[in-house]
Amino acid sequence: MKRKTAVLAAAAVMLGSVSPINVSAQDAPAIYINAGYGAECETTEIELNIRNNTGISAYSIEVNYDPRVLYFMDAEQGDALDGGTFYCNGDYSDNAVRLVWSDSRNQIADGTAAVLKFRPAYGTAETDTPVTIGYSIIADDLSEAEFEMEDGTLKIAGEINRGDVNDDGDVSVSDVVSLNMYLLNPEKYNFSYTRQANAEVSGDKIVNTDDSGLIMNYVCMIIKEL
């Protein structure tokens, strides 16, 4: 889900020469949730990411979740925004976390702004749950920069065995074949969340051909672990 809101602080000079005309949605500045997969009753990391950053010096963002499904554990600053001061209020409310970051300078890097750690509750395997960006504010002495807000969905698996795509307890060439068939026709092969989570070995929280290549390299003993 995408929304547009003025939520991040940026210096006016950073925005003065930027024209909004003919800017595609993919090129627009965005703050988004990258959730991917997590195992039932095990700590999983969810990323608050930024792309097409035009320059920010502060943010205050609320991340919402379902407390019946997820237990919030901790949050830390990501590597996209270097330095500054980062603070997480995990007691902000029963179903939300408030993340605050500020610096004395504008920063224009893309990547992970913050990493949130959750633990999915018992009995939630093979379900999914939304993680959304809620109310956000900016420092009142700085000009505003408009960013798209994109929510995410955490897919909860059972026990995860990285690379074991067919879930038979072993990582072999048959897992590569299974994954390639799924990628060619996901509607036909309709993997469970556990099988998808097993297949996602690259760490980008997306199941694609990168994962297939890594599993093949592991089977061929080019790499020693997944």
Side-chain angles (χ1 to χ4, degrees):
M1 179 178 179
K2 296 183 179 180
R3 307 183 298 284
K4 179 177 286 187
T5 183
V7 299
L8 298 178
V13 67
M14 299 295 295
L15 303 177
S17 61
V18 179
S19 171
I21 300 175
N22 296 326
V23 176
S24 69
Q26 190 62 34
D27 293 333
I31 292 286
Y32 63 99
I33 297 291
N34 188 10
Y37 302 89
E40 175 187 275
C41 300
E42 295 186 10
T43 301
T44 185
E45 295 185 347
I46 293 175
E47 298 171 351
L48 179 71
N49 288 349
I50 185 170
R51 69 168 178 264
N52 302 321
N53 182 5
T54 57
I56 63 173
S57 57
Y59 70 68
S60 180
I61 294 177
E62 178 183 299
V63 177
N64 300 317
Y65 63 95
D66 187 344
R68 298 168 300 177
V69 179
L70 298 177
Y71 172 74
F72 174 73
M73 300 184 69
D74 194 13
E76 59 188 27
Q77 183 174 342
D79 56 10
L81 303 175
D82 179 42
T85 301
F86 176 82
Y87 176 73
C88 168
N89 184 358
D91 297 321
Y92 176 72
S93 75
D94 291 338
N95 65 343
V97 177
R98 171 68 66 176
L99 303 176
V100 178
W101 170 84
S102 64
D103 200 357
S104 59
R105 59 207 167 109
N106 274 323
Q107 296 196 31
I108 59 173
D110 290 348
T112 302
V115 178
L116 299 94
K117 297 180 180 180
F118 292 91
R119 186 175 69 238
Y122 176 78
T124 57
E126 300 306 327
T127 65
D128 55 49
T129 186
V131 180
T132 65
I133 301 174
Y135 179 71
S136 302
I137 60 176
I138 65 169
D140 59 7
D141 58 342
L142 296 174
S143 60
E144 299 177 351
E146 288 192 341
F147 277 69
E148 297 283 353
M149 295 287 120
E150 299 177 14
D151 301 330
T153 300
L154 177 68
K155 299 175 181 178
I156 304 174
E159 182 178 357
I160 297 176
N161 183 13
R162 290 166 61 85
D164 184 13
V165 180
N166 60 15
D167 205 21
D168 65 355
D170 187 34
V171 180
S172 66
V173 70
S174 62
D175 295 299
V176 179
V177 174
S178 294
L179 178 52
N180 288 340
M181 292 172 67
Y182 168 75
L183 293 173
L184 286 171
N185 195 337
E187 292 185 0
K188 178 179 179 180
Y189 293 99
N190 192 25
F191 274 14
S192 66
Y193 287 157
T194 299
R195 293 183 69 180
Q196 292 179 42
N198 288 349
E200 202 290 280
V201 297
S202 69
D204 63 0
K205 303 182 183 294
I206 302 170
V207 178
N208 56 26
T209 56
D210 291 342
D211 301 298
S212 179
L214 285 172
I215 296 171
M216 175 60 80
N217 285 344
Y218 176 78
V219 172
C220 295
M221 295 186 288
I222 297 173
I223 59 176
K224 295 183 178 180
E225 60 182 24
L226 291 170

